[in-house]
Amino acid sequence: MSEVIVVTSGKGGVGKTTTTANVGTGLAMLNKKVVLIDTDIGLRNLDLVLGLENRIVYNLVDVVEGNCRPKQAMIKDKRYSNLYLLPSAQTRDKSSVTPDQMKALTDELRKEFDYIILDCPAGIEQGFQNAIAGADRALLVTTPEVSAIRDADRIIGLLEANETKKRADLIVNRIRMDMVKKGDMMTIEDVQDILAIDLIGAVPDDENIVISTNQGEPLVGSDNLAGQAYMNICRRIVGEEVPFLDLNGKKGVISKLTGLFRKN
Amino acid sequence: MNLFEIFKKKNSGNVAKDRLKLLLVSDRANCSPEIMEQIKNDIINVIKKYMEIDCDGLDIQITQTESDTENGSVPALIANIPIKEVRH
């Protein structure tokens, strides 16, 4: 059975596109057939994060307008043959697509893919409505900052108000354990407590993310905390029970002793 | 700020959490500052009929409170209205 998942946040710049790229790649590594759809029309970026920017011929708007078949617009990933990208249009705007058209498209793609993952634009306007229209569930990305959490709360309200009530799971991104330890950053538990939805993953602020984005190769599954955190999210999406990572990493005995963020 | 105050100072993480918790209650209740001001004025007008109150000292806000009937907390409108004199 296939699943349509929207990656959303409300606020911009919290890591939706990075999360989409890594979760999509991770699911492909778990031998799922995956298509990623960039729904941020006018501000195309998922192609860049995946390193596929030079291969775009057709885009999402071409598919919706019937200028090409979905198969013609989908780009096969460089590394995983079961991962595809349906890129967004760069020279159009959000009104080029309607929620009904998006739902029809995702429903058609269900026939062929295990996971259809939508990278949602920031904001709560039409781009957001388009992205959530066909989704079964949402991954809500936030950072431990007041503005990102307030916006995330608004998104939870909008997802609940949607006619097809959508389950949302929380990803707390860009955690800096050094600041958490000093009490100068909200903890994962704080964020979860405020938003009151299930946590599906916590990703540390890791410079490897910047490096992998520079190179256009998602780091999911690689031997660092962020890579492991993303892979764990993917395994939870496919239904495995995975214990939460100790984000304190290999920083020494004292930080290991605290074990504050180890959950079972 | 003396040394004592530095130690007493709340961590900014906790400050953020407390501010957000309060803010989200009113966000969720969909209550803008304008509406709160209207509620406040209406309350003043009703109570004025019966007693003299300190309008400047009046404070209303939406917060969380523990529910008596359901589990967990529910939003509540809390009004603090200082009375100057009860009219007869």
Side-chain angles (χ1 to χ4, degrees):
Chain A
M1 213 202 85
S2 62
E3 211 168 21
V4 182
I5 305 174
V6 60
V7 179
T8 184
S9 69
K11 187 176 179 298
V14 298
K16 283 180 297 297
T17 303
T18 309
T19 300
T20 307
N22 279 286
V23 167
T25 306
L27 288 169
M29 289 165 85
L30 296 173
N31 293 319
K32 302 292 179 186
K33 197 170 180 195
V34 183
V35 59
L36 308 179
I37 307 180
D38 188 350
T39 67
D40 201 345
I41 302 169
L43 296 167
R44 179 163 81 196
N45 274 324
L46 184 55
D47 53 327
L48 202 48
V49 177
L50 288 162
L52 300 173
E53 70 274 17
N54 292 326
R55 306 187 184 194
I56 297 175
V57 181
Y58 295 107
N59 59 53
L60 174 63
V61 177
D62 289 324
V63 173
V64 166
E65 290 182 345
N67 300 332
C68 69
R69 283 173 286 116
K71 269 227 166 90
Q72 292 174 288
M74 288 190 291
I75 305 160
K76 194 187 277 190
D77 184 60
K78 291 182 289 192
R79 296 186 292 172
Y80 300 97
S81 60
N82 49 339
L83 175 65
Y84 292 81
L85 167 70
L86 180 51
S88 157
Q90 183 71 331
T91 54
R92 303 291 293 271
D93 61 51
K94 311 287 193 262
S95 64
S96 312
V97 174
T98 66
D100 285 344
Q101 287 172 324
M102 282 304 298
K103 187 167 186 321
L105 174 63
T106 50
D107 283 346
E108 192 187 329
L109 293 173
R110 277 177 205 268
K111 292 174 203 154
E112 210 186 318
F113 292 91
D114 298 315
Y115 288 96
I116 297 130
I117 303 184
L118 301 132
D119 184 17
C120 180
I124 52 173
E125 294 81 20
Q126 179 160 6
F128 168 76
Q129 296 297 343
N130 286 341
I132 68 165
D136 304 317
R137 60 189 283 197
L139 296 179
L140 182 63
V141 184
T142 193
T143 59
E145 291 160 292
V146 285
S147 49
I149 294 172
R150 185 189 201 180
D151 292 357
D153 190 70
R154 190 92 170 85
I155 296 293
I156 294 171
L158 290 170
L159 290 172
E160 278 173 1
N162 193 276
E163 56 221 57
T164 54
K165 287 194 174 226
K166 297 179 202 305
R167 166 213 174 114
D169 291 298
L170 182 66
I171 295 177
V172 184
N173 199 13
R174 301 235 183 97
I175 303 148
R176 289 187 48 184
M177 290 313 293
D178 53 332
M179 293 192 72
V180 170
K181 266 182 231 159
K182 277 189 271 175
D184 279 328
M185 183 174 269
M186 280 179 272
T187 66
I188 300 161
E189 286 80 3
D190 286 342
V191 179
Q192 207 188 344
D193 182 33
I194 292 166
L195 293 174
I197 59 172
D198 289 337
L199 183 74
I200 197 166
V203 184
D205 192 24
D206 188 333
E207 60 185 36
N208 288 305
I209 295 275
V210 180
I211 296 168
S212 86
T213 308
N214 288 343
Q215 295 168 332
E217 289 190 358
L219 54 56
V220 58
S222 61
D223 186 26
N224 51 55
L225 277 179
Q228 289 168 30
Y230 277 124
M231 186 45 92
N232 284 353
I233 292 171
C234 297
R235 289 169 59 194
R236 291 182 195 114
I237 289 172
V238 302
E240 285 180 42
E241 291 265 336
V242 187
F244 282 83
L245 274 180
D246 179 2
L247 297 186
N248 290 307
K250 307 149 191 151
K251 275 187 178 168
V253 186
I254 304 216
S255 57
K256 273 185 184 162
L257 277 175
T258 55
L260 264 176
F261 295 92
R262 194 187 290 275
K263 282 187 167 183
N264 294 306
Chain B
M1 190 186 283
N2 63 33
L3 201 63
F4 182 67
E5 276 170 330
I6 292 172
F7 283 122
K8 231 180 78 177
K9 206 180 88 182
K10 255 180 152 178
N11 288 324
S12 68
N14 284 329
V15 174
K17 189 183 181 188
D18 294 344
R19 287 176 59 212
L20 265 174
K21 277 197 153 177
L22 263 181
L23 177 69
L24 291 187
V25 176
S26 52
D27 273 3
R28 285 169 190 162
N30 199 10
C31 230
S32 65
E34 293 79 38
I35 292 176
M36 289 296 282
E37 196 57 34
Q38 283 174 20
I39 294 174
K40 186 171 153 179
N41 288 333
D42 287 352
I43 290 175
I44 290 175
N45 288 333
V46 170
I47 298 177
K48 257 190 190 162
K49 290 192 217 163
Y50 306 99
M51 50 189 77
E52 199 178 323
I53 56 173
D54 173 10
C55 296
D56 296 329
L58 186 146
D59 176 46
I60 68 165
Q61 55 180 335
I62 295 179
T63 62
Q64 294 272 37
T65 186
E66 290 303 315
S67 168
D68 297 333
T69 48
E70 300 165 50
N71 285 329
S73 54
V74 291
L77 184 73
I78 308 279
N80 188 353
I81 310 167
I83 300 166
K84 280 183 177 165
E85 195 182 335
V86 180
R87 285 183 191 146
H88 296 288

